[in-house]
Amino acid sequence: MHTERPLTFLLLLVGLPTLAMVATGGVSLGVDPFGLYRGVPAREGFNAHKPRQKGHERMVRAADLVRLAPDALILGTSRAQVGLDPEAPAWAGVATRPANAAFSDGSPYEALRYLQHADAVSKVKTVVFGADYLSFVGTTRFASDFTESRLSISKGAEPQPFFRLDDVPSALLSLDTLRISRRTVLEQQHPSYFFDTGRRRPTTMEARIDEQGGARGAFMWSERDYADSYVCAQPARLETHLADFDALVAWCKERKIRLVVLFSPSHVRSLVLLEEAGLWPELERFKRALAERSGGFELWEFGGADPRTTAEEVPPPGDTTSRSRWYWESSHYKKELGDVTLARVFGKPVDEALAGWGEQVTGSTFSTVQARVTSELLAWKGTHPADVAELKASLTAARAEPHCEAAP
């Protein structure tokens, strides 16, 4: 005779999925592929390195800022993420717990929200913000992997008491994370994507130089990518992003946070590319807008064609072994130049050979400083026709086949 056992069936129906979820969470917590929880001691060959942090940086950074409880923040785009080191000597006497919270393709709105998040967790006293033109004319205010609910306070400055739980379903209990955990264990020969203080490790930058056949190849790869961005730039978006920047300035002013804003160092080739794209007047408009607001913060210009830094000679075609001293490619500067940049803005000594590089800008001095930057750029173009030809070729290719995202 058949006997029905509804209770057993219900236990199996509920229990097996629950057991699977608990097992998934246990494995993911043990490996901790993104470095969010750090509840299990790091073991070499098992979970010490987190190469899969790449592509999840906004989630990683939200957790980092709670763990680090920083008193100073680095904000901005990938330039600041790669080049500005929270452990640079220049922080001595300025901050004791700096953290890098800059993002690839970061926007002013994201900078504002992560500043608010960090400041609600631990009082922030100093902010260094790398202001880059493309981040102020981007199509959207934030990236697809940004969420408000993982931050400690809402955009209305209200506490969000359950923010720590926001990423648990995706970062602990999902099959995707289980797969990523497996890959993390198998890829322990690769380092974490980020240092513990938030700066991106240079591993991927070094690998790209090798992939592109040397430093000049990496410069050209970067410029082809930026040519696509310049062809698709939307200068009309500037006002939206400036409003978010103004909110960031107001937050710092209200809480007596020292705010240092800098136009990031980049190789003169990157500026020539932007000028050849017809965007030089828009770049000047962007810089002037910040200079006119600089009563509420310190503003620094590190652009131009200084032969000591921004205009160092790029290794010639065919040279696969030489490396640039200051740059990974035309857009991203190395930590070594970032250390000099931080020393300059914090009034610390720099090597005598670099004395005077970079200058503070105000509304009244902007025109003079910008005229210097423009004249250096034009002079460099006149002495580097082969470089200019390479940059024009990148723009021609980008215009022939543009890859632009639709505006929301």
Side-chain angles (χ1 to χ4, degrees):
M1 184 175 65
H2 179 69
T3 304
E4 294 186 358
R5 296 181 178 178
L7 181 59
T8 302
F9 174 75
L10 287 174
L11 287 174
L12 289 173
L13 185 66
V14 175
L16 288 178
T18 301
L19 183 62
M21 186 172 63
V22 169
T24 297
V27 172
S28 299
L29 185 63
V31 177
D32 194 12
F34 309 118
L36 303 184
Y37 303 106
R38 300 176 186 249
V40 175
R43 287 174 47 200
E44 287 293 333
F46 175 61
N47 65 349
H49 307 298
K50 317 291 183 183
R52 292 283 161 167
Q53 289 174 325
K54 182 178 181 180
H56 302 87
E57 57 188 280
R58 288 160 178 80
M59 177 175 67
V60 171
R61 200 62 65 241
D64 278 352
L65 294 179
V66 175
R67 172 177 59 85
L68 295 168
D71 61 351
L73 280 187
I74 295 163
L75 300 171
T77 67
S78 58
R79 292 177 178 175
Q81 185 186 79
V82 170
L84 295 182
D85 186 2
E87 299 179 271
W91 289 104
V94 176
T96 57
R97 301 183 311 279
N100 192 315
F103 295 124
S104 301
D105 300 319
S107 68
Y109 182 75
E110 291 176 317
L112 166 66
R113 293 295 289 121
Y114 275 75
L115 166 59
Q116 293 172 332
H117 170 61
D119 195 39
V121 172
S122 62
K123 174 61 179 172
V124 174
K125 299 178 181 178
T126 304
V127 169
V128 175
F129 180 81
D132 298 316
Y133 173 67
L134 280 179
S135 70
F136 279 76
V137 294
T139 303
T140 61
R141 294 175 72 196
F142 47 82
S144 59
D145 62 330
F146 171 90
T147 62
E148 300 281 0
S149 49
R150 66 163 60 105
L151 305 178
S152 58
I153 60 174
S154 69
K155 58 185 177 181
E158 296 295 327
Q160 299 192 137
F162 301 110
F163 74 94
R164 287 180 174 87
L165 302 178
D166 189 68
D167 286 309
V168 167
S170 61
L172 276 185
L173 305 178
S174 71
L175 291 178
D176 279 344
T177 300
L178 188 62
R179 285 190 287 267
I180 291 171
S181 295
R182 175 181 174 274
R183 294 296 301 271
T184 296
V185 173
L186 295 175
E187 295 172 354
Q188 285 297 292
Q189 73 275 21
H190 300 298
S192 298
Y193 192 64
F194 296 108
F195 290 103
D196 277 351
T197 51
R199 182 169 71 92
R200 191 199 304 180
R201 290 179 183 270
T203 313
T204 55
M205 312 302 287
E206 294 165 348
R208 184 168 294 134
I209 294 175
D210 293 333
E211 291 167 1
Q212 299 301 324
R216 194 175 198 90
F219 269 69
M220 294 178 67
W221 175 92
S222 166
E223 289 148 5
R224 285 192 293 269
D225 186 60
Y226 273 85
D228 286 335
S229 298
Y230 293 151
V231 166
C232 300
Q234 299 186 37
R237 295 284 299 172
L238 177 62
E239 298 306 321
T240 296
H241 293 293
L242 281 174
D244 292 330
F245 176 76
D246 288 340
L248 185 150
V249 174
W251 184 274
C252 291
K253 185 175 181 180
E254 290 167 6
R255 288 154 182 80
K256 296 180 170 57
I257 298 171
R258 178 184 181 184
L259 175 60
V260 179
V261 180
L262 54 94
F263 298 128
S264 299
S266 62
H267 195 273
V268 65
R269 283 176 60 115
S270 72
L271 296 181
V272 171
L273 183 71
L274 194 150
E275 190 255 353
E276 288 288 338
L279 292 171
W280 197 252
E282 294 298 334
L283 176 68
E284 289 186 333
R285 184 167 77 96
F286 154 65
K287 288 187 173 184
R288 186 181 296 278
L290 265 60
E292 290 173 348
R293 291 163 161 79
S294 62
F297 53 90
E298 304 161 48
L299 180 64
W300 285 76
E301 172 65 84
F302 289 98
D306 188 317
R308 301 170 298 174
T309 55
T310 52
E312 70 166 311
E313 292 297 324
V314 180
D319 184 344
T320 62
T321 58
S322 298
R323 298 290 183 261
S324 297
R325 178 183 181 185
W326 301 119
Y327 293 92
W328 295 109
E329 16 83 341
S330 64
S331 175
H332 293 89
Y333 56 96
K334 295 182 179 180
K335 165 193 155 52
E336 289 78 8
L337 190 58
D339 285 359
V340 178
T341 303
L342 290 172
R344 290 287 290 136
V345 302
F346 291 143
K348 301 297 179 68
V350 298
D351 189 293
E352 186 175 344
L354 295 172
W357 177 64
E359 55 190 317
Q360 195 164 352
V361 185
T362 65
S364 61
T365 65
F366 170 77
S367 294
T368 301
V369 174
Q370 187 60 29
R372 187 265 304 167
V373 171
T374 303
S375 65
E376 289 181 1
L377 177 88
L378 295 176
W380 185 90
K381 287 179 65 176
T383 57
H384 292 77
D387 294 76
V388 174
E390 284 182 344
L391 298 169
K392 287 183 175 180
S394 292
L395 283 167
T396 298
R399 287 168 175 148
E401 192 176 353
H403 303 282
C404 303
E405 294 182 10

